């Protein structure tokens, strides 16, 4: 049985001896934020001067993940309360703490760009060239990601049924004409379904970019069996990962709505791996049921 566990970057003794400032320094020694800064920075010298410290904002967003600060509001509160924390993030005494709207605009700029994907691809290529990634065997699985939106009632009214849902079968044997009409209706309903609600083989003719655009990204109720065989429900999303079995590097990752079956994301993950990293010598792919 495989036990894929991310190794610790530092030992427990090292972490206890480090102050938060030292920890952040080690983090940003290896993390190059220049591509991210290039996306959000002002492109020309003309116009009004920039009043925000974008480098410090990016540092604070990364540190927020390390410190497990749940929301941007909590991050701003800590920046305002702790002068030491704001200084560790890169803010100076003359900088004002950015508003939540400023952070939202910065995050939206990053999301609309390809900087995360490009950075991930460069990291994987570098790790493969240096021998950290073997890539002969890869494993895929999914994990749940809870949404911050308000959870709706799991019960759904009949008025909310989609037009693509199959009608209930009538009892009894159909006549030849009724059966032909019924088969025709089933074919039309199947054709009108979204791509990720059709059978898995319907994804084969599509490219990775086409599949990525069709992936549902709205929060939804999801269900998954835990290690005890019990159903666990959550409202939100699923993170689908394809990792190298030897080093546990994430090779490809996709996000979907919580109700999407794990098997429906296998083809997009494999096509994304083949398109983004054609040099990786993948020979075996491990997946659960």
């Amino acid at each position: 049985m495989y036990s894929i566990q991310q190794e610790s970057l530092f030992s427990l003794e090292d972490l206890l001896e480090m102050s938060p400032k030292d920890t952040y320094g080690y983090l940003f020694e290896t993390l190059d934020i220049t591509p991210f800064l290039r996306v959000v920075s002002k492109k020309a010298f003309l116009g009004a001067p920039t009043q925000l410290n974008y480098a410090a904002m990016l540092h604070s967003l990364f540190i927020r993940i390390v410190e497990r600060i749940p929301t941007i509001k909590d991050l701003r509160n800590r920046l305002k309360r702790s002068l030491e924390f704001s200084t560790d993030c890169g803010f100076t005494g003359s900088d004002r703490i950015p508003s939540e709207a400023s952070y939202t605009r910065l995050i939206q700029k990053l999301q609309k760009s390809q900087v995360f994907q490009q950075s991930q691809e460069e990291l994987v290529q570098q790790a493969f060239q240096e021998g950290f990634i073997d890539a002969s065997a890869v494993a895929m699985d999914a994990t749940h990601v809870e949404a911050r939106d308000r959870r709706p009632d799991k019960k759904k009214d009949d008025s909310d049924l989609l037009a693509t849902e199959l009608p209930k079968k009538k009892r009894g044997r159909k006549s030849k004409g009724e059966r032909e009409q019924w088969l025709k209706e089933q074919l039309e309903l199947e054709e009108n379904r979204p791509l990720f609600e059709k059978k898995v083989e319907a994804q084969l003719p599509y490219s990775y970019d086409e599949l990525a655009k069709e992936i549902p990204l709205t929060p939804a109720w999801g269900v998954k069996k835990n290690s005890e065989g019990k159903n666990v429900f959550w409202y939100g999303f699923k993170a689908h990962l394809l990792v190298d079995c030897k080093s546990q590097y994430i090779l490809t990752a996709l996000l979907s709505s919580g109700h999407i079956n794990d098997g429906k994301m296998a083809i997009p993950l494999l096509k994304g791996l083949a398109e983004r990293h054609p040099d990786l010598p993948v020979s075996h792919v491990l997946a659960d049921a």
Side-chain angles (χ1 to χ4, degrees):
M1 181 176 181
Y2 288 90
S3 177
I4 297 178
Q5 181 177 0
Q6 181 66 45
E7 296 183 0
S8 176
L9 184 62
F10 305 104
S11 66
L12 180 60
E13 291 77 10
D14 293 336
L15 290 175
L16 292 176
E17 292 176 359
M18 292 180 188
S19 67
K21 186 174 182 179
D22 295 333
T23 306
Y24 304 153
Y26 280 113
L27 173 64
F28 292 110
E29 275 183 5
T30 56
L31 182 61
D32 183 17
I33 69 166
T34 304
F36 300 88
L37 192 60
R38 194 179 296 118
V39 171
V40 300
S41 297
K42 192 177 176 183
K43 300 299 186 293
F45 292 102
L46 302 177
T50 302
Q51 298 180 350
L52 298 175
N53 189 338
Y54 288 121
M57 291 177 69
L58 288 171
H59 281 166
S60 66
L61 288 176
F62 285 111
I63 293 174
R64 173 198 162 205
I65 303 300
V66 176
E67 295 289 342
R68 298 188 177 185
I69 301 175
T71 64
I72 296 297
K73 182 179 180 180
D74 295 327
L75 174 63
R76 291 189 68 253
N77 290 337
R78 184 167 177 182
L79 288 170
K80 290 189 290 185
R81 287 197 308 264
S82 175
L83 179 61
E84 181 183 2
F85 180 72
S86 62
T87 304
D88 291 342
C89 291
F91 290 101
T92 63
S94 59
D95 293 328
R96 65 179 179 86
I97 302 302
S99 64
E100 290 186 51
S102 298
Y103 271 108
T104 300
R105 287 192 293 268
L106 181 138
I107 294 172
Q108 288 176 347
K109 285 184 179 180
L110 294 174
Q111 288 177 337
K112 291 179 181 178
S113 69
Q114 299 293 325
V115 63
F116 289 105
Q117 182 175 323
Q118 292 171 357
S119 298
Q120 170 70 9
E121 292 175 4
E122 292 173 1
L123 176 64
V124 172
Q125 289 295 333
Q126 180 181 354
F128 177 65
Q129 293 172 2
E130 294 179 1
F132 292 102
I133 292 180
D134 177 68
S136 60
V138 297
M140 67 173 67
D141 205 349
T143 183
H144 69 278
V145 180
E146 293 190 6
R148 299 192 181 277
D149 299 348
R150 183 178 179 182
R151 300 182 179 187
D153 187 5
K154 287 190 289 187
K155 296 181 180 180
K156 186 169 59 174
D157 298 333
D158 294 338
S159 58
D160 296 333
L161 292 176
L162 299 176
T164 57
E165 293 187 359
L166 300 177
K168 295 181 179 180
K169 295 182 180 179
K170 295 181 180 180
R171 298 184 64 180
R173 188 171 182 178
K174 299 181 179 64
S175 64
K176 184 176 180 181
E178 290 178 344
R179 177 169 177 77
E180 291 178 355
Q181 180 65 24
W182 182 80
L183 291 174
K184 183 179 179 181
E185 291 176 355
Q186 304 311 301
L187 182 60
E188 291 178 355
L189 289 173
E190 185 66 24
E191 291 177 352
N192 292 332
R193 283 176 176 270
L195 179 59
F196 280 85
E197 292 185 12
K198 296 180 180 179
K199 295 181 179 180
V200 177
E201 54 266 27
Q203 301 175 4
L204 291 175
Y206 294 88
S207 66
Y208 169 75
D209 292 332
E210 292 173 335
L211 291 173
K213 292 179 181 178
E214 294 291 332
I215 297 175
L217 287 175
T218 54
W221 283 102
V223 57
K224 196 174 181 70
K225 288 188 180 296
N226 59 14
S227 58
E228 300 177 355
K230 298 180 180 179
N231 288 334
V232 177
F233 296 89
W234 77 95
Y235 180 72
F237 310 92
K238 270 187 181 180
H240 305 267
L241 306 176
L242 192 64
V243 302
D244 177 47
C245 290
K246 181 179 179 181
S247 63
Q248 288 85 58
Y249 267 70
I250 297 176
L251 305 178
T252 310
L254 290 170
L255 189 71
S256 72
S257 299
H259 70 284
I260 297 298
N261 183 273
D262 296 358
K264 296 289 183 71
M265 300 299 295
I267 291 177
L269 285 172
L270 293 174
K271 285 196 173 186
L273 181 64
E275 182 174 325
R276 307 297 182 187
H277 306 290
D279 298 332
L280 298 183
V282 179
S283 58
H284 295 85
V285 179
L286 306 180
D288 56 15

